[in-house]
Amino acid sequence: MTGPRRALRLSRSRFRFLGVHAAALVAGFVLSLACVPARAEYQVKIEAPKAIRDLLERHLDLSRYKDRKDITEDQLQYMVETIGDQVTKLTATEGYFVPKATAQLEGAPDKRVVNVKVEPGPRTTIDNVALDFTGAITQDPKRIDELKKAWGLPHGVAFRQSGWDKAKDDSLAALQSKRYYAAKQTNSQARVDPDESKADLSVDYDSGPAYTLGPLDVQGLSRYPRSIIEHVNPLRVGEDYSADRLQSLQAAIQGQPYFSNAIVDLGDDPKDPVNAPVRVRVREYPPNRLTSGVGYGTDTGASVEGRYQYLNLFNKAWVVDTQARLEQRRQYLFAGVTLPPDDKQYVNSIYSSMDRTDTSGTDTRSYRAGFKQTRVRGIYETSFTIDFYYDDLRPDGAERQLSKALVPGFAWTRRDVDDPLFPRRGNIITTQIGAAVKGVLTDQSFVRSYSRIRQFVPVGQRDILVARGELGAVITNGPGDGVPATLRFRTGGTQSVRGYDFQSIGNTVNGSTLPTKFLVTGGLEYQRWFLPQWGAAVFWDTGTATDNWSQRRWFNGVGVGVRWKSPVGPIQLDLGYGIQEKQFRPSVSLGIAF
């Protein structure tokens, strides 16, 4: 800039200089404390706008040392007299370059108070931004325009040092994320005019060459075949480098049961940007895995569980999986064998299980055996199944029901959330359909469909609105007694309509709740996060399960809850009120949203 305007040039190197200078002063100040007699401590009162007051209370020397017992009179006077310089350096990081600061020491020697008053003055805003690019990206003007439009500190925005650093880093990360793996920032400058309260920003980037992807360079394999990784690899040799594409491969590898960790990148210094080898580093699980645990849930009571997996049957990476879960009102056993993914990314498995529940006056025993073929591509999962069900329904107040069915089925799931463990944005959708024909290992012909959705909507910086819906139907002639009980529907409890007992909503016969042909549930929940790990919630749930839609009865529940992002997953504790039953019911759940 020219003319009478005064200008300050603030670059990363200048802030480093200030930091080193300040560190030296502080070191000398602290060293001097050991050589002087002690005196009484003092209090500090700061009068300033909130954002500036919080900054000064954290970093001002007067605030940091106010509880020290070894501060001398000279040291205190020095901090008071130099208050202006310190305030200017601190407020500059928030865009206030011409503050006015005063400090007065008042009170008796044993009750001294330092009154600090700060007027920050006008806040500096961004006037001009100049982003300059060199390297191969100069042949891609569209990409340059995208990066300029995405710049984080546009004209008119308040200047802050943290925002300035973040904007530069974000722009570099965006440049490196697609095609330009070796891009770097070569220069940056913030030129501030304190008289005009304006800042001109300039950043230079060198994109380097454009990268394309080459073959996989797999490291860390010793037990399991390389084909596992190759069969889930979505990358094509010669395609443009993309960080998102590498992340897709990494997620696909980590989704396999054989690896505890996977890192996918192009290495530290690829020698040739054309078809650069994709480095894949994996850490294998040992072939034997044994896990166990105890827990408690209000739906099925206290539980103990164990799981054993052998990951390399016949040295072909076939997975043998056995599970047992014993709860007060449920017992579950499972055994299966799963093959590694084939060259079309399909995973085939065979399995059998026994599941017994004893809730709401009904003892249900379900035996199941089947075949499943699953494929996961990005956020989508599809499954084809053939299951044989044999169910034994023993209600306390009705006749015993035995039923069997051979059910071919299809399931489709879409998981599109920002965080798989603690989602805040996105949705999870699942839909299933199956059918059975009487006489083909089946007692009664039917078609069954089931769908559910859970939508996450961020509110402000922390809060979340969660909406969910669930639909189920068994279409058959006449009553559904011949359809296996576990393919029909009951609802109520932690994951459906809170305020009611687990699976207590259905067809009530002499005190027993029997499964029905139709299901509808829904709900809204607002989560208020007071701390990063702790929040509270209010919710409303509604639903019905019925054999006759025209005679349906709706059940509503409202309540409040506590949310905790624990190291093992989200934990929710709720107290629900069932409006139709006029009852309070607590509920506890642990698990991810899927």
Side-chain angles (χ1 to χ4, degrees):
M1 297 183 179
T2 58
R5 298 173 65 190
R6 294 186 298 116
L8 294 174
R9 291 186 177 181
L10 298 179
S11 64
R12 191 183 295 271
S13 61
R14 176 171 175 78
F15 273 95
R16 288 199 189 103
F17 170 77
L18 293 176
V20 171
H21 182 65
L25 289 176
V26 171
F29 175 73
V30 173
L31 183 64
S32 68
L33 296 180
C35 306
V36 294
R39 68 155 189 81
E41 57 195 75
Y42 59 91
Q43 298 297 317
V44 178
K45 294 183 179 179
I46 299 176
E47 181 182 345
K50 185 178 185 306
I52 298 300
R53 185 173 67 251
D54 293 344
L55 176 71
L56 298 177
E57 287 176 347
R58 291 194 306 270
H59 300 292
L60 200 63
D61 284 351
L62 280 167
S63 297
R64 294 168 55 212
Y65 297 119
K66 63 184 177 66
D67 294 326
R68 292 285 296 266
K69 302 291 186 180
D70 51 359
I71 302 295
T72 67
E73 188 69 29
D74 288 344
Q75 290 167 340
L76 178 59
Q77 289 294 337
Y78 177 80
M79 289 189 289
V80 171
E81 291 171 2
T82 59
I83 191 71
D85 292 340
Q86 258 199 75
V87 167
T88 298
K89 293 176 182 177
L90 291 172
T91 59
T93 63
E94 294 295 313
Y96 299 98
F97 290 92
V98 287
K100 295 180 181 179
T102 59
Q104 291 185 341
L105 182 61
E106 301 175 350
D110 59 342
K111 295 182 179 179
R112 284 184 288 190
V113 177
V114 180
N115 291 304
V116 178
K117 183 176 181 180
V118 177
E119 297 178 4
R123 192 171 202 175
T124 297
T125 58
I126 309 302
D127 191 19
N128 294 303
V129 178
L131 302 182
D132 186 59
F133 297 89
T134 58
I137 197 174
T138 57
Q139 305 300 316
D140 189 359
K142 182 179 179 181
R143 182 77 187 283
I144 292 177
D145 289 342
E146 292 175 351
L147 292 167
K148 289 182 177 181
K149 290 178 181 178
W151 173 254
L153 282 180
H155 171 80
V157 172
F159 176 87
R160 299 176 69 244
Q161 181 62 35
S162 60
W164 167 229
D165 292 338
K166 185 177 186 300
K168 291 184 290 184
D169 292 343
D170 288 351
S171 187
L172 178 60
L175 178 57
Q176 293 172 335
S177 69
K178 187 176 180 181
R179 298 194 71 192
Y180 308 106
Y181 179 77
K184 58 185 178 180
Q185 176 188 309
T186 57
N187 186 48
S188 68
Q189 186 179 79
R191 186 177 176 85
V192 177
D193 185 342
D195 293 336
E196 298 293 330
S197 299
K198 300 291 186 182
D200 293 336
L201 310 179
S202 63
V203 190
D204 298 336
Y205 295 102
D206 179 7
S207 73
Y211 280 73
T212 57
L213 300 181
L216 300 185
D217 174 18
V218 181
Q219 305 171 13
L221 288 176
S222 62
R223 298 185 180 95
Y224 309 116
R226 177 188 172 100
S227 60
I228 294 173
I229 295 174
E230 292 175 339
H231 287 171
V232 299
N233 177 23
L235 309 179
R236 301 183 311 275
V237 173
E239 70 172 281
D240 288 340
Y241 160 78
S242 167
D244 289 342
R245 293 285 286 162
L246 297 193
Q247 179 62 34
S248 297
L249 172 57
Q250 181 172 309
I253 296 172
Q254 290 180 327
Q256 303 304 310
Y258 312 96
F259 308 110
S260 62
N261 190 30
I263 300 175
V264 180
D265 56 27
L266 296 189
D268 300 326
D269 186 20
K271 295 181 174 57
D272 188 348
V274 179
N275 295 346
V278 177
R279 184 174 65 175
V280 178
R281 291 171 288 172
V282 297
R283 181 178 299 169
E284 298 176 323
Y285 277 121
N288 292 284
R289 296 183 64 190
L290 179 64
T291 57
S292 61
V294 297
Y296 176 80
T298 49
D299 285 347
T300 52
S303 66
V304 59
E305 62 181 300
R307 183 177 187 181
Y308 171 73
Q309 291 177 293
Y310 183 66
L311 305 181
N312 203 12
L313 184 64
F314 306 134
N315 288 321
K316 293 184 177 181
W318 293 11
V319 178
V320 177
D321 189 3
T322 59
Q323 303 176 40
R325 183 179 180 90
L326 306 179
E327 302 170 273
Q328 288 177 281
R329 291 184 290 276
R330 185 187 181 196
Q331 297 81 46
Y332 177 73
L333 301 174
F334 174 90
V337 176
T338 301
L339 277 61
D342 62 21
D343 57 359
K344 294 183 179 179
Q345 301 183 18
Y346 285 107
V347 176
N348 299 311
S349 60
I350 57 173
Y351 49 83
S352 62
S353 66
M354 188 282 290
D355 191 356
R356 179 187 178 187
T357 59
D358 190 358
T359 59
S360 301
T362 302
D363 183 351
T364 305
R365 307 178 187 191
S366 178
Y367 305 90
R368 181 183 177 188
F371 166 81
K372 182 177 183 179
Q373 185 179 76
T374 302
R375 181 164 66 178
V376 178
R377 286 188 169 180
I379 63 175
Y380 299 99
E381 177 181 327
T382 56
S383 298
F384 299 91
T385 57
I386 299 177
D387 289 316
F388 176 72
Y389 294 84
Y390 182 82
D391 283 8
D392 183 358
L393 186 69
R394 302 181 181 185
D396 293 342
E399 293 183 359
R400 180 181 180 185
Q401 298 179 14
L402 296 173
S403 54
K404 64 181 182 295
L406 181 66
V407 186
F410 171 78
W412 176 88
T413 299
R414 178 181 186 266
R415 300 180 180 93
D416 185 16
V417 290
D418 56 347
D419 187 322
L421 196 59
F422 303 107
R424 190 167 183 269
R425 182 191 304 273
N427 54 57
I428 305 162
I429 305 172
T430 294
T431 187
Q432 305 169 1
I433 188 166
V437 178
K438 183 177 180 179
V440 184
L441 297 177
T442 301
D443 292 334
Q444 182 173 347
S445 298
F446 64 88
V447 174
R448 181 186 187 271
S449 66
Y450 173 79
S451 298
R452 70 175 182 267
I453 180 173
R454 189 178 293 265
Q455 180 74 45
F456 300 88
V457 181
V459 180
Q461 295 298 314
R462 290 185 176 179
D463 296 356
I464 310 171
L465 177 66
V466 183
R468 64 172 185 83
E470 187 179 31
L471 297 172
V474 173
I475 310 300
T476 185
N477 289 326
D481 295 355
V483 178
T486 50
L487 294 176
R488 290 178 279 158
F489 307 102
R490 292 186 290 176
T491 191
T494 301
Q495 300 297 330
S496 54
V497 185
R498 287 164 285 190
Y500 299 87
D501 289 337
F502 180 54
Q503 294 190 347
S504 63
I505 300 173
N507 183 16
T508 303
V509 178
N510 297 328
S512 297
T513 303
L514 306 184
T516 65
K517 296 164 59 177
F518 303 103
L519 170 74
V520 178
T521 71
L524 293 172
E525 176 173 299
Y526 187 89
Q527 298 177 1
R528 177 74 171 96
W529 291 89
F530 299 99
L531 297 171
Q533 304 300 323
W534 288 93
V538 294
F539 61 84
W540 164 73
D541 296 332
T542 187
T544 184
T546 181
D547 277 330
N548 191 326
W549 186 249
S550 63
Q551 298 177 4
R552 65 191 180 277
R553 180 189 178 195
W554 290 98
F555 293 83
N556 296 279
V558 295
V560 296
V562 176
R563 302 291 178 266
W564 177 37
K565 295 180 180 178
S566 79
V568 295
I571 293 179
Q572 63 180 48
L573 295 85
D574 293 321
L575 180 62
Y577 177 71
I579 296 175
Q580 277 63 41
E581 298 296 331
K582 297 182 173 58
Q583 63 183 10
F584 286 96
R585 286 290 183 271
S587 64
V588 179
S589 71
L590 163 65
I592 62 176
F594 296 78

